[in-house]
Amino acid sequence: LLLGCCLDPISAWMFSRSIATMPMRVRRQNENAIALAQALQQHPEVRAVYHPSLADHPQHSLATQILSGGYGAILSFQVEDDLERVDQFFHKLKLVRYLGTLGGIRTSVTHPATAFRDSFSEEELCDMGLTDGLIRISVGAEDVDDLIADFQQALE
């Protein structure tokens, strides 16, 4: 019977330590994602916000029925399709960091159109909704007011 690999002592300790606080962290990330999605929806520079907690999301009803632990910490929002302005936005963020991967205790952002530009044609990216103005966020467990303020100042 294969049981998988064995962790070294440090990794096992880190896993044990982290799993104990996981419910608290996930709950906080879910709450922060909802609040950030709602705040972004109100910003004049934001054209659309994609998060299943929002009533106008096409799968909001389904998500409400099947997601008992929250709507998730990943959301996306759309601004003008202007790479220069999107780049300026990323550089203005102070608390949030641009990372190539998402997930973790700290909020991070990525730009899907740039990340997949070598893998797909511009037409394919557009067909998938990965336009130049789309920004993806993995919401962390920071203070939600600090997160909202950081996004708002970077969008100005």
Side-chain angles (χ1 to χ4, degrees), residues 99-118:
L99 297 174
T101 59
L102 300 175
I105 192 77
R106 296 199 53 204
T107 300
S108 58
V109 293
T110 191
H111 189 244
T114 301
F116 297 110
R117 198 165 302 278
D118 291 339

Side-chain angles (χ1 to χ4, degrees), residues 13 23-24 38 71 84 96 134 138:
W13 173 77
M24 176 182 61
Q38 291 170 347
Y71 293 96
E84 187 174 321
V96 176
L134 184 72
S138 173

Side-chain angles (χ1 to χ4, degrees), residues 4 6-7 17 19 32 42 45 48 52 57 70-72 80-81 92 97 116 119 121 147 156:
C6 295
L7 294 175
R17 182 191 64 172
I19 203 76
N32 284 357
Q42 303 304 314
E45 294 294 321
H57 189 279
Y71 293 96
E80 182 182 352
D81 285 334
K92 287 181 182 179
R97 296 287 176 244
F116 297 110
S119 302
S121 70
L147 282 176
E156 299 303 322

Side-chain angles (χ1 to χ4, degrees), residues 65-107:
Q65 290 174 6
I66 65 173
L67 299 175
S68 62
Y71 293 96
I74 303 291
L75 66 100
S76 298
F77 69 100
Q78 182 75 39
V79 294
E80 182 182 352
D81 285 334
D82 182 338
L83 278 177
E84 187 174 321
R85 290 187 71 192
V86 169
D87 189 53
Q88 289 171 359
F89 164 79
F90 285 131
H91 282 92
K92 287 181 182 179
L93 289 170
K94 296 175 181 166
L95 176 65
V96 176
R97 296 287 176 244
Y98 182 93
L99 297 174
T101 59
L102 300 175
I105 192 77
R106 296 199 53 204
T107 300

Side-chain angles (χ1 to χ4, degrees), residues 55-70:
D56 65 348
H57 189 279
Q59 295 178 326
H60 173 73
S61 294
L62 177 62
T64 301
Q65 290 174 6
I66 65 173
L67 299 175
S68 62

Side-chain angles (χ1 to χ4, degrees), residues 10-44:
I10 297 296
S11 295
W13 173 77
M14 289 176 66
F15 177 79
S16 176
R17 182 191 64 172
S18 297
I19 203 76
T21 61
M22 186 174 173
M24 176 182 61
R25 289 182 285 119
V26 170
R27 185 172 45 255
R28 177 70 176 263
Q29 288 173 286
N30 276 283
E31 292 167 357
N32 284 357
I34 292 169
L36 183 58
Q38 291 170 347
L40 287 170
Q41 241 184 353
Q42 303 304 314
H43 198 282

